[in-house]
Amino acid sequence: MALLRRFNTIRSLYQTLGMHQSSSFLSSRSYSTGFSNVSQFYGQGVTSCLYKTQTNALPWTCRNTLTLRSTMAAELLIFLNDKKSLSTQAPTQTRKVGAQISMTSPGFVYEPYALREPIPFWKRYFTRTGWRQTKEDIKSELKSAYAIAKLRKTGYSKQKFYKEAVELYKEISTLIANGDKTSLRKAVAENMFSALKNEIKQRESIWSKVYWELVEPIVKIRTLRARLIGVDKNDLNKAFIQLTLEFLTKEKFEAYDSKGAVVAGDKTKEVLVRSIWVFEKSLFHSGSHWRLCGRIKV
């Protein structure tokens, strides 16, 4: 009898294990099918303009309507799978208003822009390293396109924003030069304010006063990257957007010691300066405005 009970027990365990493996196989097969469909759709969205590029041009530079719609749909899938959820993955900067908690900034720069050296056409399309970089470049461009598309729904205009960005660049740089921390706090995010405050303190320990001037109009401004940072995974409209801009400007600078003597720079000469700044804005707070949240070293 004991032997019979052991046999029945082993048979039951074997049947249970077999059912578990079968269900796992079915779920894996279902997931694999869904993934292959996404890959096929993503491929159709990109290859429609693969053969229209010039030498050293990237495959996504053509901008027909079909390609834009395909890449937007593909990026939506990427965004849903790849976006950061602030409530679980990153520390946030919040402000208590009455009995509610209001999030004012993500507190970090999401996927900071990194400078890359251009690679030859043959290396981009005929080597594994080139294909890997091309894949990353395409994914990055799709993320930027999706973020800009979401921003346009709020009334975004590139020319209007560029004008505002130049004014912010001038205002913030002037406040830093003057050491006006009170006014600076309103123009930058909390994490950026802490960094700038330390920067001003360190500079004042060396120089007593500085002169800074922006020569207008600026030489060049362009958008390098756009990113969305989701706050609520169940509501895609609750997000922050970060735009990385490159400024090419002519500036004048001069530094003085405690006696007023010039110790660095020359305000009679114009210096060509390249700066990369990251601005952020909330898409779900009424009356939100652009603020500086980071600077990329050049």
Side-chain angles (χ1 to χ4, degrees):
M1 291 298 293
L3 183 62
L4 181 60
R5 283 196 299 269
R6 288 184 180 181
F7 176 76
N8 290 332
T9 301
I10 293 174
R11 185 175 62 178
S12 299
L13 290 173
Y14 179 78
Q15 291 176 350
T16 303
L17 180 61
M19 292 175 64
H20 175 72
Q21 292 176 343
S22 177
S23 62
S24 299
F25 173 76
L26 290 174
S27 61
S28 301
R29 182 178 180 182
S30 176
Y31 175 81
S32 176
T33 302
F35 182 80
S36 63
N37 291 338
V38 171
S39 301
Q40 291 173 1
F41 178 76
Y42 179 87
Q44 292 172 359
V46 174
T47 55
S48 58
C49 62
L50 183 59
Y51 300 101
K52 299 179 182 179
T53 59
Q54 300 175 355
T55 304
N56 290 332
L58 297 177
W60 58 93
T61 52
C62 54
R63 298 297 182 193
N64 56 56
T65 305
L66 177 61
T67 303
L68 180 60
R69 291 180 179 176
S70 299
T71 54
M72 286 295 296
E75 172 53 16
L76 177 59
L77 296 174
I78 295 173
F79 177 73
L80 290 175
N81 292 326
D82 198 42
K83 71 184 181 66
K84 281 184 177 288
S85 176
L86 299 185
S87 59
T88 58
Q89 297 186 21
T92 60
Q93 296 172 354
T94 59
R95 182 176 300 165
K96 191 171 183 180
V97 181
Q100 298 181 347
I101 300 295
S102 176
M103 184 180 299
T104 59
S105 173
F108 64 98
V109 175
Y110 178 41
E111 295 187 353
Y113 176 81
L115 299 175
R116 284 188 178 183
E117 295 183 2
I119 59 177
F121 173 84
W122 65 268
K123 188 174 182 181
R124 176 176 290 276
Y125 295 108
F126 298 102
T127 64
R128 290 185 178 181
T129 303
W131 274 107
R132 192 178 301 113
Q133 182 171 331
T134 300
K135 177 182 176 182
E136 292 300 320
D137 290 343
I138 291 175
K139 186 176 179 181
S140 179
E141 287 293 327
L142 290 175
K143 287 183 178 181
S144 293
Y146 179 75
I148 294 295
K150 293 282 287 185
L151 185 59
R152 283 203 180 102
K153 293 181 180 179
T154 65
Y156 166 82
S157 167
K158 184 171 73 171
Q159 297 303 323
K160 182 179 178 181
F161 170 68
Y162 279 0
K163 185 178 180 180
E164 183 179 355
V166 172
E167 290 300 320
L168 280 172
Y169 182 87
K170 181 179 179 180
E171 177 189 357
I172 293 172
S173 298
T174 302
L175 293 174
I176 294 173
N178 296 336
D180 189 350
K181 301 174 187 176
T182 303
S183 301
L184 188 62
R185 183 187 291 271
K186 302 176 183 179
V188 302
E190 286 78 1
N191 63 316
M192 196 65 213
F193 177 71
S194 298
L196 292 177
K197 185 171 63 174
N198 293 332
E199 182 180 307
I200 293 173
K201 183 179 180 180
Q202 183 179 6
R203 186 200 69 208
E204 289 177 343
S205 66
I206 303 174
W207 298 326
S208 178
K209 183 181 178 181
V210 297
Y211 171 87
W212 181 88
E213 179 186 350
L214 177 66
V215 180
E216 299 184 84
I218 68 171
V219 179
K220 182 180 180 182
I221 180 174
R222 63 171 179 148
T223 303
L224 299 177
R225 175 166 292 182
R227 289 293 182 269
L228 280 178
I229 306 176
V231 176
D232 185 353
K233 63 181 180 180
N234 297 320
D235 187 356
L236 295 180
N237 292 321
K238 288 186 178 181
F240 287 89
I241 187 165
Q242 293 181 345
L243 294 184
T244 302
L245 300 185
E246 178 188 40
F247 296 89
L248 192 61
T249 59
K250 290 182 179 180
E251 304 175 6
K252 296 179 181 181
F253 170 80
E254 198 169 80
Y256 311 91
D257 61 13
S258 58
K259 297 180 180 180
V262 178
V263 293
D266 186 351
K267 66 179 182 181
T268 63
K269 296 181 180 180
E270 298 178 356
V271 180
L272 189 63
V273 180
R274 182 190 183 198
S275 306
I276 299 179
W277 285 20
V278 184
F279 295 93
E280 73 175 17
K281 182 181 180 181
S282 168
L283 298 182
F284 61 99
H285 287 115
S286 58
S288 61
H289 58 276
W290 291 102
R291 300 191 302 173
L292 176 66
C293 68
R295 295 180 299 179
I296 308 297
K297 291 184 179 180
V298 180

